[in-house]
Amino acid sequence: DGGITQSPKYLFRKEGQNVTLSCEQNLNHDAMYWYRQDPGQGLRLIYYSQIVNDFQKGDIAEGYSVSREKKESFPLTVTSAQKNPTAFYLCASSKGTGGYTFGSGTRLTVV
Amino acid sequence: AQSVTQPDIHITVSEGASLELRCNYSYGATPYLFWYVQSPGQGLQLLLKYFSGDTLVQGIKGFEAEFKRSQSSFNLRKPSVHWSDAAEYFCAVGRGGSYIPTFGRGTSLIVHP
């Protein structure tokens, strides 16, 4: 079955470390997105990509970086410049007007 | 800029009772509107969407929503709630006329037996 796979499910980061969250889809969707979810704040857009080798900043891109070298993959790196990275990260994809398909998320905790 | 307000942080209903979750949006033109549901620790699932046409939209799991331009609202309804409907519900509006949603802060639905 087609879907979006996010890994790992749980991730722990030490202060000053960069970490990369994986997002892979086999839905043949053109667009992919990264959201951050904090309790009581809904979802906030970090980055999105509507085509391979191109991506745009969302509302809270500072301290994050992405790449889109393949249609299927859209990894997110949380850099040491992100001062408050503890959150639930959700990846999504879409094709046309069909609405989003979400992955099951990665919970990142700073230790 | 577009925005979405979900006035209720928590809603508690009894199983079998009807449900209405409120959503108000701010956008100058006809918006693209969405409702998503999230179970604990999971991603979001699309319940329904409105782009144009009939203002009463049917979705999955027995949910429906009505677009009311005069009230800038897109409230979600279900005639009879099941215990499995307990979850977080998010309303969203397409940003800048696109299909990329801006999400509300969510409403947590609690279902009593």
Side-chain angles (χ1 to χ4, degrees):
Chain A
D1 285 341
I4 296 183
T5 301
Q6 289 189 243
S7 63
K9 191 171 180 65
Y10 299 96
L11 186 58
F12 297 91
R13 189 193 96 167
K14 294 182 179 179
E15 295 280 353
Q17 268 187 342
N18 292 354
V19 292
T20 298
L21 284 60
S22 171
C23 179
E24 303 275 337
Q25 56 100 356
N26 60 2
L27 299 164
N28 197 33
H29 284 177
D30 298 309
M32 298 186 73
Y33 313 81
W34 275 104
Y35 284 87
R36 170 179 171 142
Q37 185 176 25
D38 297 282
Q41 294 198 41
L43 281 72
R44 292 180 289 169
L45 183 64
I46 304 172
Y47 268 100
Y48 64 100
S49 168
Q50 295 179 305
I51 194 169
V52 174
N53 291 323
D54 188 44
F55 48 82
Q56 285 76 42
K57 292 182 179 179
D59 300 320
I60 56 164
E62 185 174 353
Y64 300 97
S65 66
V66 294
S67 63
R68 187 88 186 276
E69 298 176 0
K70 299 186 300 181
K71 187 175 185 177
E72 302 79 17
S73 179
F74 192 42
L76 173 74
T77 296
V78 184
T79 74
S80 57
Q82 172 48 242
K83 297 307 178 188
N84 185 24
T86 294
F88 190 51
Y89 291 87
L90 286 162
C91 179
S93 69
S94 69
K95 190 177 184 73
T97 64
Y100 280 16
T101 299
F102 279 86
S104 56
T106 292
R107 188 166 299 280
L108 174 63
T109 303
V110 174
V111 296
Chain B
Q2 68 288 322
S3 64
V4 176
T5 301
Q6 294 181 248
D8 303 303
I9 298 174
H10 304 283
I11 289 281
T12 301
V13 299
S14 297
E15 190 169 16
S18 63
L19 171 70
E20 183 169 27
L21 300 182
R22 296 185 290 165
C23 172
N24 293 98
Y25 67 89
S26 171
Y27 184 64
T30 299
Y32 301 131
L33 294 163
F34 311 84
W35 273 101
Y36 286 85
V37 61
Q38 183 182 34
S39 297
Q42 298 297 314
L44 280 69
Q45 181 183 23
L46 179 68
L47 287 175
L48 47 81
K49 60 185 178 181
Y50 172 79
F51 290 163
S52 64
D54 192 344
T55 57
L56 185 61
V57 181
Q58 301 298 319
I60 63 171
K61 305 186 180 192
F63 285 93
E64 66 178 27
E66 186 171 12
F67 170 57
K68 293 185 177 180
R69 184 189 303 276
S70 61
Q71 299 176 20
S72 298
S73 69
F74 189 56
N75 294 349
L76 182 72
R77 302 193 294 248
K78 187 170 185 177
S80 177
V81 170
H82 187 262
W83 63 266
S84 60
D85 292 324
E88 190 88 13
Y89 290 80
F90 292 93
C91 182
V93 60
R95 54 178 59 206
S98 75
Y99 304 115
I100 301 173
T102 293
F103 289 88
R105 296 193 171 196
T107 297
S108 178
L109 175 64
I110 301 164
V111 181
H112 282 313

